[in-house]
Amino acid sequence: MTINYETYFQQSIDLLKAEGRYRVFNDLERKAGSFPLAKSHVTGRTVTVWCSNDYLGMGQHPKVITAMAEAIGRLGAGAGGTRNISGTHHAMVTLEETLAELHRKEAALAMTSGYVTNEATLGTLCSMLPDCLVYSDEFNHASMIHGMRNSKAEKHIFRHNDADHLESLIKASDSARPKVIAFESVYSMDGDISPIKAFCDLADEYNAITYLDEVHAVGMYGPRGAGVAERDGVMERVTIIQGTLGKAYGVMGGYIAGSQALVDMIRSYAPGFIFTTALPPALTAGANASIRHLMESGEERIRQHYNVQVTRDMLTKAGLPVMPSDSHILPVLVADPVLCKQASDMLLNQFDIYVQPINFPTVPRGTERLRITPNPTHTHAMMVELTRALVWVFERLGIKPEVERLKEVA
């Protein structure tokens, strides 16, 4: 019997299309020096990007671009392989020293992405601790979930940001077993912020360690941009801080910061680090320049937080269903995958505005949304145009603000 494998592949794609959640990548070409503008190869016109995770526009900052160009000219394009085989180029050493300084930890370790960092670190950490128990927020990122799953450690899921529920789970466990509490600071789809201090208090009381994912917060919060934990004055209490170089820092890569022994253990045992080609010199040099700049400059953060508040006020005043958010992320509820994609397409085609649709499995079914991330380079005129365009699109599609629905998904 001949098996037609293409049939299986096509059926899986057809299923996504039937459910209205087939993803289309918009072909965009960002314009350095003109962010948030980009050329759309779909429409052939210039569009305003409202959904980038380059939260502060650092991907086009002159210091970052200069550092990357200089590194390529001096060190070449690639890293030459894994760090175990090819050695560690000095730009990587400098970057890790900066990351340790940023988070006031003894050491740091950089990897190729935030996803790889979470999966490799949690997978290794929870497997190396004997008979480990791991407590995971129910809304943790897929990379964290996969890392914990790969470790085969016993996992308990606590209700989102619920310290009382977490404590009840810990109390019901064997006090002699090692414990890891894993959570994020800023949750990227809802924009809410976790009670870091409360989780650290529980870790202290029950002899656990904390693993904090700050990928949507580093660069953005705190006087030096070290994240929400720095802003809240609890950074030194967190055992392991994980971050990214690919969002507010505008480049690419992920990292952890913690004690010397912990970081050395992950470096020595994590397959996701050991067997992966290292970040090239240009990326590490650019990331280092970005971090150093944001450690000294608060201008980008101030402007970004101001633009977020102005945009939120405009959208809310216009009667648009803006979901509650404590951060720089502004989700606008659509609650239907087909309408969400249609709204995104209409914004692009009618108004040259790009906001990507967010649907299952990134968010639960019935909470599909447009995720808006204002940055320092958005102008007041752009905010006005976005608001007018969203009102027009929502009226045409019959998407209405449902107050009770917003309460339900909050």
Side-chain angles (χ1 to χ4, degrees), residues 26-41 46-47 49 51-61 64-65 246-247 249-251 354 375 377:
N26 275 292
D27 188 353
L28 300 176
E29 184 177 322
R30 300 205 304 170
K31 298 182 178 181
S34 300
F35 192 64
L37 300 180
K39 178 183 178 181
S40 169
H41 287 273
T46 296
V47 301
V49 178
C51 52
S52 175
N53 282 348
D54 187 356
Y55 293 132
L56 300 177
M58 292 302 293
Q60 64 164 1
H61 196 282
V64 176
I65 293 174
K247 293 182 171 60
Y249 291 127
V251 192
Y354 176 52
N375 67 59
T377 61

Side-chain angles (χ1 to χ4, degrees), residues 135-314:
Y135 301 88
S136 174
D137 187 289
E138 66 175 326
F139 285 178
N140 276 341
H141 193 265
S143 57
M144 300 174 73
I145 294 169
H146 290 163
M148 290 180 270
R149 183 180 299 155
N150 291 344
S151 76
K152 296 182 171 58
E154 182 180 331
K155 182 173 71 171
H156 297 271
I157 299 173
F158 60 90
R159 289 189 293 270
H160 180 51
N161 283 346
D162 191 334
D164 291 336
H165 186 223
L166 171 59
E167 183 172 23
S168 70
L169 293 174
I170 296 176
K171 279 184 174 180
S173 304
D174 184 349
S175 61
R177 296 174 66 180
K179 300 172 182 64
V180 177
I181 303 171
F183 57 101
E184 302 179 39
S185 57
V186 177
Y187 285 83
S188 63
M189 292 300 128
D190 292 330
D192 55 341
I193 295 176
S194 64
I196 301 174
K197 179 181 181 299
F199 292 159
C200 288
D201 289 344
L202 290 176
D204 290 345
E205 182 175 355
Y206 294 100
N207 194 24
I209 63 174
T210 48
Y211 183 97
L212 174 61
D213 178 320
E214 288 254 42
V215 296
H216 291 278
V218 289
M220 304 285 294
Y221 299 93
R224 297 154 58 254
V228 175
E230 182 188 45
R231 183 198 71 177
D232 294 352
V234 293
M235 185 167 65
E236 288 82 357
R237 299 182 63 192
V238 178
T239 313
I240 309 162
I241 294 175
Q242 183 265 352
T244 185
L245 307 171
K247 293 182 171 60
Y249 291 127
V251 192
M252 178 185 173
Y255 65 88
I256 55 167
S259 72
Q260 183 66 52
L262 170 95
V263 170
D264 200 17
M265 181 188 75
I266 301 303
R267 181 191 70 85
S268 301
Y269 283 93
F273 169 77
I274 294 171
F275 299 104
T276 300
T277 298
L279 288 169
L283 289 180
T284 54
N288 190 65
S290 182
I291 296 165
R292 284 290 174 189
H293 175 80
L294 290 174
M295 286 174 71
E296 299 172 0
S297 171
E299 178 183 348
E300 292 82 3
R301 286 187 287 277
I302 292 169
R303 184 65 188 175
Q304 198 261 358
H305 294 324
Y306 173 79
N307 282 356
V308 168
Q309 188 58 54
V310 172
T311 306
R312 177 188 284 113
D313 291 345
M314 283 188 184

Side-chain angles (χ1 to χ4, degrees), residues 83-104:
R83 293 168 72 174
N84 289 286
I85 291 176
S86 300
T88 295
H89 55 76
H90 191 65
M92 179 73 81
V93 175
T94 302
L95 171 63
E96 290 176 341
E97 290 173 347
T98 295
L99 290 167
E101 179 185 344
L102 173 69
H103 293 291
R104 298 195 176 99

Side-chain angles (χ1 to χ4, degrees), residues 43 45-49 346-354:
T43 66
R45 302 188 298 271
T46 296
V47 301
T48 304
V49 178
M346 290 173 72
L347 287 169
L348 183 66
N349 295 323
Q350 300 293 326
F351 297 95
D352 295 324
I353 289 173
Y354 176 52

